[in-house]
């Protein structure tokens, strides 16, 4: 997507957040109608389940009518052929393939386009700008570096959108060396990885040398202990983001910390209790409709988390709806022999690279033993067990 088009879309997103709740709701309703019609006309799976439920896209006149449409769970999609869930006429050679984290034990390949994925960056930028990010800031990201671009982009050479990556598979000492050299203004990563990083920074008395102005977490449950420790270590008030591979960035915190602002112009978030809309403040199953995913639509998709919708408005004045922190995506560090801590994502990201696995479950029985339960697929072979062992021997 060209720079001018990206800037145009970002300008719309920046304006949308300040619209009234009713104006944001109208944007949401119009986008929802379009995606429902598209899914029914071009995606066999949705045509089938809509017909079975006796609902049609034109039955949606208001956002509340979305409850008439069936909920979809990952287990319903994971074994379906692509032609059932990818829109007809899509050229797969021009698409990107992403893989979910497998936190439910069911790795799932998502098909999208570079243009659709660009919305992730735009939504992330909106939340960062809301929390004091400037285009000239330097960002250090703790991540699986095998999945990030190599080399600098043109804008980085002129001092904009500068990013440095350090691998979650490196030792914390290696991560600290990268951070000291990068001198980041912004620090991003998963809570468990940033907690481990902050522990080392504090223990080595390096807070004067590694002093980000903004810390952003995402991808797993942020507990109060982790939040407080990172805040105290770096002297910041970190902000958390909530999202999924299937639906992109769903919600984010602003500096007011009144709740998580839902990207209501990009997704519809429902919270269900026993299949019915939960009351505001009531805990329930989070169900997402992605309003921008036309290649592989996700309509009323259960992301496997639980959370709460809020009736209150944020003191910041934004018209985006609020939700409370997600309470069902707990990914704690594993404690190994000698007290060594590692993030489960260091294991799951590697296990998911093994072609012979359809579903898996990782169970830690004690500090010295981890059991991997596997449902193999047609690619499973005699080397698959050795590949799994190699992940854990490393």
């Amino acid at each position: 997507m060209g720079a001018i088009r990206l800037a145009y879309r970002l300008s719309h997103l920046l304006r949308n957040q300040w619209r009234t709740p009713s104006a944001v709701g109208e944007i949401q309703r119009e986008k929802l109608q379009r995606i429902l019609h598209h899914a029914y006309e071009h995606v066999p799976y949705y045509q089938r389940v809509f017909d079975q439920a006796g609902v049609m896209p034109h039955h949606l006149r208001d956002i509340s009518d979305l409850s008439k449409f069936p909920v979809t769970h990952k287990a319903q999609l994971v074994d379906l052929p692509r032609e059932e869930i990818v829109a007809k006429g899509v050229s797969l050679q021009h698409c990107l393939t992403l893989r979910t984290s497998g936190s439910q034990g069911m790795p799932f390949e998502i098909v999208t386009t570079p243009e659709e994925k660009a919305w992730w960056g735009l939504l992330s930028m909106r939340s960062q700008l809301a929390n004091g990010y400037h285009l000239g800031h330097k960002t250090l990201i703790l991540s699986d570096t095998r999945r990030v671009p190599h080399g600098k982009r043109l804008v980085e050479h002129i001092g904009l959108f500068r990013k440095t990556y350090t691998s979650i598979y490196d030792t914390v000492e290696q991560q600290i060396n990268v951070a000291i050299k990068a001198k980041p203004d912004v620090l991003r990563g998963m809570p468990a990885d940033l907690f481990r990083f902050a522990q080392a920074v504090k223990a080595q008395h390096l807070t004067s040398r590694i002093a980000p102005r903004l810390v952003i977490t995402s991808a797993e449950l942020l507990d109060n202990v982790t939040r407080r420790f990172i805040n105290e270590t770096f002297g910041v008030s970190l902000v958390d983001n909530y999202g999924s591979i299937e639906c992109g960035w769903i919600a984010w915190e602003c500096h007011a910390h009144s709740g998580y602002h839902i990207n209501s112009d990009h997704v519809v978030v429902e919270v269900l209790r026993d299949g019915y809309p939960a009351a505001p403040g009531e805990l329930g199953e989070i169900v997402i409709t992605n309003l921008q995913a036309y290649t592989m639509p996700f309509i009323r998709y259960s992301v496997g988390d639980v959370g709460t919708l809020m009736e209150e408005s944020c003191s910041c004045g934004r018209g985006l709806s609020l939700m409370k922190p997600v309470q069902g995506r707990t990914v704690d560090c594993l404690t190994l022999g000698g007290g060594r801590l590692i993030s489960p994502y260091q294991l799951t990201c590697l296990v998911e690279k093994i072609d012979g696995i359809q579903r898996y479950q990782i169970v830690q029985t004690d500090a010295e033993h981890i059991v991997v339960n596997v449902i193999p697929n047609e690619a499973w072979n005699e080397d698959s067990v050795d590949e799994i062992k190699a992940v854990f021997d490393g």
Side-chain angles (χ1 to χ4, degrees), residues 26-79:
E26 183 58 24
I27 293 171
Q28 191 179 60
R29 185 187 63 80
E30 290 177 359
K31 287 187 174 184
L32 181 57
Q33 287 180 326
R34 287 199 294 269
I35 196 69
L36 287 175
H37 281 281
H38 170 81
Y40 184 77
E41 294 169 4
H42 299 284
V43 183
Y45 168 78
Y46 285 108
Q47 185 176 80
R48 181 170 67 254
V49 297
F50 286 7
D51 285 343
Q52 290 172 349
V55 292
M56 296 286 287
H58 69 263
H59 290 156
L60 185 123
R61 300 182 182 279
D62 185 80
I63 294 294
S64 62
D65 292 329
L66 186 57
S67 62
K68 300 174 182 177
F69 293 79
V71 173
T72 290
H73 293 83
K74 182 189 289 190
Q76 295 172 261
L77 303 180
V78 70
D79 295 324

Side-chain angles (χ1 to χ4, degrees), residues 254-267:
C254 74
H255 58 84
H257 297 286
S258 299
Y260 286 53
H261 290 284
I262 298 171
N263 288 317
S264 305
D265 48 354
H266 183 78
V267 295

Side-chain angles (χ1 to χ4, degrees), residues 39 43 48 79 105 119 122 163 182 275 321:
V43 183
R48 181 170 67 254
D79 295 324
W119 283 107
L122 295 175
K163 295 179 182 177
S321 301

Side-chain angles (χ1 to χ4, degrees), residues 321-378:
S321 301
L322 293 175
M323 65 184 295
K324 287 187 178 179
V326 176
Q327 300 179 36
R329 186 182 281 186
T330 306
V331 184
D332 295 321
C333 282
L334 300 179
T335 302
L336 304 183
R340 185 164 69 98
L341 299 177
I342 64 168
S343 166
Y345 284 97
Q346 293 180 237
L347 303 177
T348 60
C349 288
L350 293 174
V351 171
E352 288 160 18
K353 298 290 185 183
I354 301 172
D355 292 333
I357 297 176
Q358 178 175 326
R359 301 184 188 182
Y360 69 92
Q361 180 188 53
I362 297 175
V363 180
Q364 183 179 23
T365 56
D366 55 48
E368 302 295 336
H369 298 90
I370 294 176
V371 176
V372 184
N373 299 313
V374 170
I375 298 178
N377 61 26
E378 64 278 358

Side-chain angles (χ1 to χ4, degrees), residues 104-359:
Q104 299 176 53
M106 293 180 286
F108 181 37
E109 289 192 341
I110 312 302
V111 178
T112 186
T113 64
E115 183 170 351
E116 288 178 352
K117 193 172 185 298
W119 283 107
W120 293 24
L122 295 175
L123 291 166
S124 176
M125 182 56 61
R126 175 165 71 179
S127 66
Q128 290 181 66
L129 290 171
N131 285 291
Y133 173 79
H134 296 295
L135 302 187
H137 278 168
K138 294 176 290 185
T139 301
L140 176 65
I141 303 173
L142 276 70
S143 70
D144 180 353
T145 55
R146 298 168 304 170
R147 303 180 182 183
V148 302
H150 297 285
K152 290 186 177 181
R153 299 167 296 166
L154 177 61
V155 291
E156 292 184 77
H157 288 287
I158 61 175
L160 301 177
F161 303 108
R162 291 173 291 177
K163 295 179 182 177
T164 300
Y165 294 87
T166 183
S167 176
I168 59 175
Y169 302 114
D170 288 341
T171 65
V172 72
E173 286 73 23
Q174 290 173 309
Q175 294 171 353
I176 284 176
N177 289 335
V178 172
I180 291 174
K181 183 178 179 180
K183 296 181 175 63
D185 302 292
V186 181
L187 186 60
R188 287 172 48 188
M190 293 184 290
D193 295 322
L194 289 180
F195 180 77
R196 184 167 64 106
F197 179 79
Q199 282 182 310
V201 169
K202 185 174 182 179
Q204 297 178 38
H205 307 288
L206 294 172
T207 53
S208 61
R209 302 185 67 185
I210 303 174
R213 307 179 189 183
L214 174 63
V215 176
I216 303 172
T217 56
S218 62
E220 63 189 27
L221 179 67
L222 174 66
D223 61 84
N224 290 332
V225 172
T226 298
R227 182 190 289 269
R228 186 164 52 250
F229 184 81
I230 293 174
N231 284 346
E232 291 174 353
T233 298
F234 295 113
V236 298
S237 180
L238 72 80
V239 291
D240 190 38
N241 288 260
Y242 172 53
S244 72
I245 295 294
E246 301 93 328
C247 300
W249 291 121
I250 296 167
W252 50 279
E253 286 186 295
C254 74
H255 58 84
H257 297 286
S258 299
Y260 286 53
H261 290 284
I262 298 171
N263 288 317
S264 305
D265 48 354
H266 183 78
V267 295
V268 178
V269 176
E270 301 173 83
V271 173
L272 306 181
R273 192 71 176 261
D274 299 324
Y276 295 94
E282 185 179 23
L283 195 66
E285 172 189 15
I286 297 176
V287 172
I288 308 292
T289 298
N290 188 333
L291 301 175
Q292 302 293 160
Y294 282 79
T295 304
M296 181 185 284
F298 290 94
I299 311 294
R300 301 201 81 203
Y301 179 77
S302 174
V303 293
D305 297 329
V306 294
T308 304
L309 292 179
M310 301 171 61
E311 281 188 311
E312 299 88 346
S313 298
C314 183
S315 60
C316 73
R318 289 177 173 83
L320 302 174
S321 301
L322 293 175
M323 65 184 295
K324 287 187 178 179
V326 176
Q327 300 179 36
R329 186 182 281 186
T330 306
V331 184
D332 295 321
C333 282
L334 300 179
T335 302
L336 304 183
R340 185 164 69 98
L341 299 177
I342 64 168
S343 166
Y345 284 97
Q346 293 180 237
L347 303 177
T348 60
C349 288
L350 293 174
V351 171
E352 288 160 18
K353 298 290 185 183
I354 301 172
D355 292 333
I357 297 176
Q358 178 175 326
R359 301 184 188 182

